[in-house]
């Protein structure tokens, strides 16, 4: 988060609004990044929402991958982890995250700001960010599992009139 904030500062990217989940790790990441980007003034106004939380793994919650594989079988666990539309028992699949939480939140709260030309920062979790890639049309349910998103490396979308004109990771400034 410290390096991400420094990269944002070096790239002279200023934000109008910041969104994060209600989970401490995403909130703390956003705070550290903003402090290091020289934008700590945005912390108090940061919007935290449950819709940006990590995917609910249901009955798999609290187990590591090896424990889950021993209990349910390697093939079944892999299906639950990587399938777009097959949830683990009592949990959410990525499709649920996209359609029931992240898309409605994006449409109501983030998209209107982007359409106004505002710069927004979203600090969230692997699956809620993967959902965002689908919503933005960068990935599809068929390609999302191949999408690589390094931890703590800002992914920048340059948009014009709601259309992505360029996207890149701030680690190398080349098109992603």
């Amino acid at each position: 988060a410290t390096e991400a904030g420094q990269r944002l500062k070096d790239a002279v990217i200023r934000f109008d609004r910041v969104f994060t989940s209600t989970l401490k790790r995403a909130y703390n990441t956003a705070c550290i990044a903003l402090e290091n980007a020289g934008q700590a003034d945005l912390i108090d106004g940061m919007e935290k929402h449950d819709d940006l939380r990590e995917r609910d793994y249901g009955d798999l919650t609290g187990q590591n991958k090896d424990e889950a594989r021993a209990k349910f079988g390697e093939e079944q666990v892999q299906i639950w982890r990587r399938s777009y539309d097959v949830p683990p028992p009592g949990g959410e699949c990525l499709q649920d995250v996209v359609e029931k939480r992240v898309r409605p939140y994006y449409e109501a709260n983030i998209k209107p700001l982007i359409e106004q030309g505002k710069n927004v920062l979203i600090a969230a979790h692997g699956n809620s960010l993967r959902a965002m890639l689908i919503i933005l049309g960068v990935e599809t349910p068929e390609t999302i599992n191949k999408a690589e998103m390094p931890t703590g490396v800002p992914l920048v979308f340059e948009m014009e009139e709601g259309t992505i004109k360029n996207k890149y990771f701030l680690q190398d400034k080349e098109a992603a």
Side-chain angles (χ1 to χ4, degrees):
T2 300
E3 288 181 24
Q6 187 61 52
R7 287 177 176 145
L8 292 167
K9 183 176 184 176
D10 292 347
V12 194
I13 297 175
R14 299 258 338 139
F15 297 103
D16 299 298
R17 296 286 285 284
V18 181
F19 297 88
T20 188
S21 86
T22 54
L23 296 176
K24 287 181 184 178
R25 66 182 186 260
Y27 175 80
N28 290 341
T29 296
C31 290
I32 292 166
L34 287 169
E35 287 167 358
N36 285 277
Q39 298 180 59
D41 57 306
L42 295 173
I43 293 173
D44 287 343
M46 196 170 3
E47 294 192 34
K48 297 184 283 186
H49 202 280
D50 283 341
D51 285 346
L52 298 176
R53 291 172 67 104
E54 179 58 283
R55 175 180 164 191
D56 179 357
Y57 281 93
D59 294 353
L60 302 182
T61 300
Q63 297 179 38
N64 67 38
K65 292 173 197 166
D66 291 334
E67 292 168 336
R69 288 179 187 123
K71 185 173 182 178
F72 299 105
E74 186 170 341
E75 187 176 330
Q76 183 60 63
V77 170
Q78 187 65 13
I79 290 169
W80 289 331
R81 288 188 67 235
R82 292 297 174 203
S83 172
Y84 181 71
D85 58 358
V86 179
E92 296 176 294
C93 59
L94 185 55
Q95 183 178 29
D96 293 333
V97 176
V98 171
E99 300 303 337
K100 295 180 180 177
R101 295 197 286 114
V102 178
R103 186 183 306 276
Y105 187 80
Y106 171 81
E107 295 285 336
N109 300 284
I110 300 171
K111 185 177 180 182
L113 295 172
I114 292 171
E115 289 173 342
Q116 294 170 23
K118 304 290 185 186
N119 282 344
V120 300
L121 171 66
I122 302 169
H125 310 275
N127 283 298
S128 50
L129 293 173
R130 290 171 58 208
M132 194 66 67
L133 293 178
I134 291 171
I135 293 162
L136 292 173
V138 174
E139 298 292 343
T140 67
E142 295 76 31
T143 65
I144 192 61
N145 286 330
K146 294 177 183 150
E148 294 295 326
M149 294 179 31
T151 301
V153 179
L155 174 56
V156 176
F157 291 92
E158 295 176 355
M159 300 179 82
E160 191 175 294
E161 297 179 13
T163 301
I164 297 171
K165 296 297 183 185
N166 194 18
K167 72 178 179 82
Y168 55 91
F169 288 101
L170 277 182
Q171 66 187 6
D172 57 20
K173 298 204 184 213
E174 293 179 17

